[in-house]
Amino acid sequence: MSNESTNPQQEPLEQVQDTEVVADEAALVDELTQANFRIEELEQALAAAEAKVEEQKDSVVRAAAEVDNIRRRAAMDVEKANKFALEKFANELLPVMDNMERALAGTNAEDEATKAMYEGVSLTMKTLVNAVEKFGVKVVDPIGQPFNPEQHQAIGMQPNPEVPANHVMVVLQKGYELNGRLLRPAMVMVSQGGGVDTQA
């Protein structure tokens, strides 16, 4: 009888313990589920934060590149302004130089009547050319050189057996450059080479 009396008491106790274990397991599963959800939320927040950081890094790199480009452009503009500040002034001097060359062409160093004027204009011309060369102005006098449409303006073509074809045979007006930039092309006459073909 004592065995029967203890068995009925133990069964409810075991059932209570089993119920508590099941309840504890359910609570533990709930906590794990909530923890997993929280971990997923944190992982998503971390991924969003990392994406934002990458976006900010990209923005910073782009901004730095833009600033560098602006600096480079500004430096180039300053360099061009320094190189070509005299462009308008040099353009105003070109007719003066042309007139001096015409004066030299109209006088003769051998003629006593024009010898003094020739020497004076010649010295003035040399001084002026030397002065403008110090500031980057260079004369373009292409006689005997191949025709270059970037620096020469062809007025016409003539046959000339002494000058190769497409070479400058006469310079009608000299051209000028300022630090590599063309101020005015040289006006030239270009050779067709060969000569006139009389057989038809």
Side-chain angles (χ1 to χ4, degrees), residues 62-102:
R62 287 176 189 266
E66 185 64 29
V67 167
D68 190 41
N69 287 341
I70 289 170
R71 280 191 190 130
R72 195 175 314 119
R73 273 188 241 123
M76 286 172 47
D77 289 345
V78 167
E79 182 183 347
K80 282 181 183 177
N82 288 335
K83 271 186 166 182
F84 304 114
L86 296 176
E87 186 172 4
K88 287 182 182 178
F89 179 69
N91 275 324
E92 292 298 320
L93 286 178
L94 297 184
V96 174
M97 295 171 81
D98 291 339
N99 288 334
M100 293 180 95
E101 285 181 1
R102 285 188 199 102

Side-chain angles (χ1 to χ4, degrees), residues 147 152-160 166-172 186-193:
F147 176 73
H152 312 146
Q153 179 180 352
I155 300 301
M157 293 183 79
Q158 288 182 346
N160 189 336
N166 295 323
H167 279 63
V168 175
M169 60 183 214
V170 177
V171 176
L172 301 171
M187 292 195 324
V188 298
M189 190 70 80
V190 181
S191 170
Q192 289 178 333

Side-chain angles (χ1 to χ4, degrees), residues 88-149:
K88 287 182 182 178
F89 179 69
N91 275 324
E92 292 298 320
L93 286 178
L94 297 184
V96 174
M97 295 171 81
D98 291 339
N99 288 334
M100 293 180 95
E101 285 181 1
R102 285 188 199 102
L104 286 174
T107 58
N108 188 352
E110 304 300 321
D111 186 7
E112 288 298 323
T114 60
K115 184 175 183 180
M117 187 171 73
Y118 180 85
E119 288 176 358
V121 172
S122 177
L123 287 173
T124 305
M125 181 68 178
K126 285 178 187 175
T127 305
L128 181 60
V129 168
N130 289 337
V132 295
E133 280 179 352
K134 289 178 185 176
F135 294 97
V137 176
K138 195 170 99 175
V139 178
V140 178
D141 190 6
I143 194 146
Q145 297 177 3
F147 176 73
N148 180 356

